[in-house]
Amino acid sequence: MPDSLRTNRYESRCARCGHTVAAEAGVLLLSKWGYTVVYHPTHAPEADAQGGTSDASAMRVNQREEPCQVCDVVVPEGLGVLVRSRFDGWQVYHPEHLREPAPPRRGPHTGWHQRRLIALDIETTGNRYGVDRIVGAAVYAADGSARSWLIDPGPGPLMMAPYKKHGITVEHACAHGVPTAHALNEIAVVLARHLITKDPMVVWNAPFVLTTLEAELLRHGLIALSDRVPEGLSPICDPLVLDRHADPFRSGGRALEAVTEWYGIPHCHPGHAAFDAEASLALARVIGSCFPPVGRLSRQALHREQVCWHARYAQDAEARRPTENRDMT
């Protein structure tokens, strides 16, 4: 046995085979999940320089039902993994959600994320303001109620951008969709009724979604959403802006699908408005819970801060662009 490895002082059970290991006859390793484990010398995984291991055999299962620290779904007894936290004692995870690094633990603090939120998402023919048309929309509320619209984009030479994932064709929307003006007015009424309560409206990538919606309302001679609410389009909660601000240096993509996966939020059909709206609302709540400085903001401060955070992000992104690309625009 290498001199750098410690032996067990007391009789214990081997983490690999489960059989008894006599005192001073086993190998004692530090699990990366925060506790020591004992092995028969022939069963011990290779240890790192600090005498630790991340081998799956070193996991400790939960002895009672507890909510998973990532997805908040209850983990049945014996089916989860226990991890020792530096500050909060033992925590339980689903095995598939156990990873390093991981999102911060969800906190019990109160805030806007626990209020009656509503989420909006739209499906469009492309990503150009004032040019592309809305062909679908969905609204999802915190109480589980939802509405969705398939929208006829109207006449004109329209083409669906190939990168759109929602699966709606222009032909299908024209044949089966609700007339544009009628659908847009219904959407605006639902959203204005919520915004008047001064509870946040969740919109992933809000600058694009809300600008497109306003442009379409005005194009059809309807009252803009911002003119239907005394205080305008506020408060808005954009989980994309929140995530960029709260965790700016995390590697990986920032698409809705990638961010929901990071926070352990189920998202079955990315690109579909109904599922995107539901996932966006859940994501806003989780981010508010994981980051107390964000979750404890007042609703008005949440809106104001996001305006500043998004402007700062846009400035930084522009500064990172190659000089020759900036000169060409």
Side-chain angles (χ1 to χ4, degrees):
M1 184 183 303
D3 295 337
S4 59
L5 296 182
R6 295 184 296 165
T7 59
N8 57 314
R9 296 180 58 187
Y10 307 100
E11 184 179 282
S12 187
R13 290 187 178 274
C14 176
R16 180 79 68 185
C17 69
H19 294 156
T20 300
V21 181
E24 306 292 342
V27 175
L28 191 66
L29 297 181
L30 177 65
S31 163
K32 81 165 187 175
W33 296 285
Y35 42 82
T36 55
V37 286
V38 176
Y39 293 90
H40 287 108
T42 55
H43 293 168
E46 184 175 352
D48 59 27
Q50 289 74 40
T53 179
S54 59
D55 189 83
S57 63
M59 292 182 181
R60 180 175 295 177
V61 299
N62 56 317
Q63 301 300 315
R64 62 176 184 271
E65 290 187 349
E66 294 279 356
C68 174
Q69 294 299 314
V70 173
C71 69
D72 211 31
V73 175
V74 172
V75 184
E77 177 184 340
L79 298 182
V81 178
L82 278 176
V83 177
R84 187 190 293 276
S85 166
R86 179 179 299 178
F87 304 107
D88 299 311
W90 294 99
Q91 299 176 353
V92 177
Y93 294 81
H94 286 105
E96 64 271 20
H97 290 164
L98 183 65
R99 61 189 188 274
E100 290 290 343
R105 183 185 180 186
R106 301 179 189 184
H109 55 278
T110 58
W112 57 264
H113 56 289
Q114 295 178 337
R115 298 189 65 86
R116 296 184 297 251
L117 306 181
I118 195 173
L120 165 71
D121 194 73
I122 63 174
E123 295 160 331
T124 62
T125 57
N127 292 338
R128 297 168 296 176
Y129 307 123
V131 177
D132 288 300
R133 302 288 183 256
I134 298 176
V135 295
V139 172
Y140 184 86
D143 61 6
S145 60
R147 288 193 65 181
S148 60
W149 293 263
L150 178 65
I151 301 174
D152 176 5
L158 300 175
M159 182 178 296
M160 193 67 66
Y163 50 80
K164 287 297 180 179
K165 298 180 180 179
H166 49 65
I168 300 174
T169 64
V170 173
E171 295 74 18
H172 179 77
C174 290
H176 304 284
V178 177
T180 311
H182 180 74
L184 292 175
N185 190 62
E186 282 190 344
I187 295 168
V189 168
V190 172
L191 300 181
R193 187 180 299 129
H194 175 80
L195 287 173
I196 289 173
T197 68
K198 300 183 180 180
D199 281 331
M201 180 171 75
V202 178
V203 188
W204 175 267
N205 193 14
F208 169 74
V209 172
L210 296 179
T211 302
T212 301
L213 178 61
E214 292 285 78
E216 284 290 87
L217 286 167
L218 294 174
R219 190 170 70 86
H220 287 84
L222 300 171
I223 301 174
L225 179 58
S226 56
D227 293 332
R228 298 177 187 231
V229 184
E231 297 184 8
L233 289 177
S234 174
I236 302 299
C237 172
D238 188 339
L240 176 58
V241 174
L242 297 185
D243 181 58
R244 283 172 174 165
H245 169 75
D247 198 0
F249 304 112
R250 186 180 74 244
S251 61
R254 298 281 175 163
L256 178 58
E257 183 178 4
V259 178
T260 51
E261 181 181 2
W262 168 252
Y263 287 99
I265 298 171
H267 189 13
C268 304
H269 300 286
H272 295 257
F275 294 95
D276 284 355
E278 182 177 359
S280 297
L281 190 145
L283 182 58
R285 286 187 147 176
V286 169
I287 293 175
S289 177
C290 287
F291 299 95
V294 174
R296 292 194 177 109
L297 290 171
S298 70
R299 289 165 284 174
Q300 295 76 18
L302 173 70
H303 185 94
R304 292 195 304 268
E305 291 297 321
Q306 286 177 104
V307 173
C308 297
W309 296 339
H310 177 68
R312 192 178 307 132
Y313 171 82
Q315 292 172 357
D316 293 343
E318 178 67 18
R320 289 193 298 268
R321 289 176 59 194
T323 305
E324 58 271 19
N325 288 350
R326 294 203 301 270
D327 293 340
M328 294 172 61
T329 57

